[in-house]
């Protein structure tokens, strides 16, 4: 987690103790004029302004300790944005328009503030007053339970992983890719091609994945999902195409093309519950045509644990 520590202003780095980066850290929220919040699975930590001290407290203790907490300043955010962008924020203008910057290690920094509009469209965000550092997790073995349920002979059923943001879709997708590629899943090493638009799945640095993606995995990094799927079908003969956060109309059209070419698709999509599947036009069409045969719904429980429910193409529950 050294790269995360180095995103903070120099004067703040001495505040942190080694256990700041303990297992379970999911997000770091930095808001101008507000305490800096470290979000773990079921608890939060608020940074004090006292060197070498750190406060872990539940929400009920927040008011009691509020006067002792460190409040982020505009200067803090400006310095952090310099480190996040390697002093070249302009180079990330396309990502910023989408509300995030991806950094080394696959961590994504969400940004918010005053939008800049040109011809009614978002051209940028300036000033940026809010940051959300989402910590990338590599949890080997977390997909073990669901792999037998998505197997179809020597491959997989076309499968969608669904959840609200922050429930672990990408983590589950990443581990599934690794297991399918290295033969851990079925004893057969499958060719998996990954479209990693935001560098979150493989965490590529200069094109080289930093996460374990398996020996038979090819990664198209920093490419739009629709274009990436088409390129991989033409050039890499994938048995499985893996893609994160399907959403745009072009994404759904590209998925249908991939299915028509004989590739299996393993993807993720935002959905709060299973009912939302029938409320999204493209997903409703897929369900009617039964293009996908497995749906994995993830929920994050109050204690931070994840609950998985698996459904077939008839929306009948499969034991997980």
């Amino acid at each position: 987690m050294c790269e995360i520590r180095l995103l903070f202003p120099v004067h703040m780095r001495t505040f942190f103790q080694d256990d700041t980066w303990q297992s379970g850290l999911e997000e770091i929220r930095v808001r101008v004029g507000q305490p800096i919040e470290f979000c773990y699975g079921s608890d939060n930590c608020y940074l004090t302004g006292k060197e070498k001290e750190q406060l872990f407290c539940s929400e009920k203790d927040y008011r009691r300790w509020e006067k002792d907490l460190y409040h982020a300043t505009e200067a803090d955010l400006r310095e952090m944005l310099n480190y996040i962008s390697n002093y070249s924020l302009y180079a990330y203008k396309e990502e910023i328009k989408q509300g995030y910057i991806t950094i080394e290690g696959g961590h994504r920094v969400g940004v918010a503030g005053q939008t800049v509009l040109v011809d009614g469209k978002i051209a940028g965000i300036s000033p940026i007053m809010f940051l959300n550092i989402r910590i990338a997790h590599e949890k080997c073995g977390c997909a073990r339970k669901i792999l037998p349920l998505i197997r179809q002979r020597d491959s997989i059923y076309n499968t969608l992983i669904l959840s609200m943001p922050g429930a672990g879709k990408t983590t589950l997708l990443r581990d599934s890719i690794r297991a399918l590629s290295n033969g851990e899943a079925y004893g057969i090493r499958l060719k998996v091609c990954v479209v990693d638009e935001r560098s979150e799945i493989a965490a590529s640095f200069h094109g080289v994945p930093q996460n374990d993606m398996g020996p038979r995995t090819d990664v198209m990094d920093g490419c739009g999902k629709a274009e990436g799927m088409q390129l991989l079908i033409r050039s890499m003969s994938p048995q499985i195409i893996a893609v994160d956060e399907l959403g745009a109309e072009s994404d759904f059209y590209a998925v249908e093309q991939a299915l028509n070419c004989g590739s299996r698709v393993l993807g993720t999509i935002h959905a709060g519950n299973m009912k939302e599947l029938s409320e999204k036009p493209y997903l409703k069409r897929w369900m009617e045509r039964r293009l996908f045969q497995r749906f994995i719904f993830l929920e994050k429980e109050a204690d931070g644990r994840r609950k998985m429910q698996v459904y077939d193409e008839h929306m009948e529950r499969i034991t997980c």
Side-chain angles (χ1 to χ4, degrees):
M1 299 294 290
C2 265
E3 66 266 25
I4 299 298
R5 187 192 298 265
L6 295 177
L7 298 182
F8 284 87
V10 173
H11 75 92
M12 290 175 56
R13 295 176 192 171
T14 56
F15 293 171
F16 303 130
Q17 298 176 349
D18 290 340
D19 60 2
T20 304
W21 322 109
Q22 65 184 290
S23 175
L25 180 61
E26 296 179 353
E27 295 180 342
I28 304 172
R29 312 299 291 253
V30 184
R31 307 171 175 101
V32 169
Q34 299 298 328
I36 297 176
E37 181 181 16
F38 289 73
C39 304
Y40 296 88
S42 59
D43 202 358
N44 297 329
C45 156
Y46 298 96
L47 190 69
T48 70
K50 298 179 181 180
E51 193 170 313
K52 293 296 182 182
E53 290 187 19
Q54 187 174 321
L55 175 64
F56 287 86
C57 67
S58 62
E59 292 300 324
K60 66 180 181 181
D61 296 322
Y62 178 87
R63 294 299 178 192
R64 181 162 61 92
W65 290 96
E66 187 173 12
K67 61 180 174 45
D68 296 318
L69 302 182
Y70 183 89
H71 288 60
T73 67
E74 290 188 47
D76 290 334
L77 258 77
R78 285 196 298 270
E79 188 173 347
M80 291 184 71
L81 285 166
N82 282 335
Y83 300 145
I84 289 167
S85 66
N86 290 317
Y87 293 90
S88 183
L89 198 59
Y90 181 80
Y92 291 87
K93 68 174 185 177
E94 292 301 318
E95 288 184 90
I96 289 172
K97 286 196 295 186
Q98 303 299 319
Y100 70 92
I101 298 173
T102 302
I103 63 174
E104 183 180 354
H107 313 293
R108 187 201 291 186
V109 182
V111 298
Q114 179 67 51
T115 56
V116 178
L117 300 179
V118 175
D119 296 328
K121 296 182 180 180
I122 295 176
I125 301 176
S126 181
I128 294 171
M129 306 295 277
F130 309 89
L131 301 177
N132 176 21
I133 303 171
R134 294 183 61 183
I135 308 301
H137 292 98
E138 188 175 16
K139 295 185 178 179
C140 293
C142 70
R144 191 172 294 119
K145 282 186 178 180
I146 60 102
L147 290 170
L149 303 181
I150 67 173
R151 180 175 186 173
Q152 186 184 37
R153 294 186 293 276
D154 292 340
S155 187
I156 65 168
Y157 290 106
N158 295 315
T159 301
L160 281 180
I161 303 170
L162 311 101
S163 78
M164 296 290 284
K169 294 187 303 297
T170 304
T171 302
L172 184 62
L173 175 66
R174 182 186 300 119
D175 194 53
S176 300
I177 293 166
R178 179 192 61 80
L180 292 165
S181 175
N182 68 17
E184 178 183 318
Y186 313 134
I188 307 163
R189 295 190 304 156
L190 300 172
K191 290 186 294 182
V192 185
C193 288
V194 178
V195 184
D196 201 1
E197 182 175 13
R198 298 175 178 177
S199 303
E200 283 192 288
I201 305 172
S204 296
F205 187 61
H206 296 317
V208 179
Q210 305 299 295
N211 290 327
D212 181 4
M213 304 303 292
R216 300 197 77 197
T217 300
D218 304 299
V219 180
M220 189 71 75
D221 183 60
C223 180
K225 288 183 279 289
E227 298 88 343
M229 282 186 270
Q230 292 168 10
L231 285 170
L232 289 169
I233 289 168
R234 287 198 296 265
S235 61
M236 304 304 289
S237 63
Q239 292 173 290
I240 299 171
I241 293 179
V243 59
D244 201 14
E245 296 190 4
L246 296 165
E249 181 177 345
S250 58
D251 298 345
F252 294 108
Y253 177 70
V255 166
E256 292 185 11
Q257 281 190 312
L259 297 177
N260 290 333
C261 292
S263 295
R264 302 298 169 88
V265 173
L266 177 61
T268 75
I269 195 165
H270 288 308
N273 53 59
M274 296 302 295
K275 183 182 177 182
E276 288 187 19
L277 288 176
S278 60
E279 297 173 351
K280 298 176 184 285
Y282 280 89
L283 288 176
K284 182 178 180 180
R285 188 173 77 188
W286 284 358
M287 292 175 68
E288 290 172 348
R289 295 169 59 190
R290 297 181 182 172
L291 295 181
F292 281 78
Q293 298 82 38
R294 293 293 183 267
F295 300 90
I296 302 167
F297 184 58
L298 286 178
E299 288 183 288
K300 182 179 177 182
E301 299 186 304
D303 61 2
R305 290 183 296 177
R306 269 63 173 181
K307 181 172 69 174
M308 288 186 283
Q309 298 174 345
V310 183
Y311 298 83
D312 65 14
E313 67 269 34
H314 304 291
M315 288 295 105
E316 295 180 358
R317 178 87 177 270
I318 302 172
T319 302
C320 183

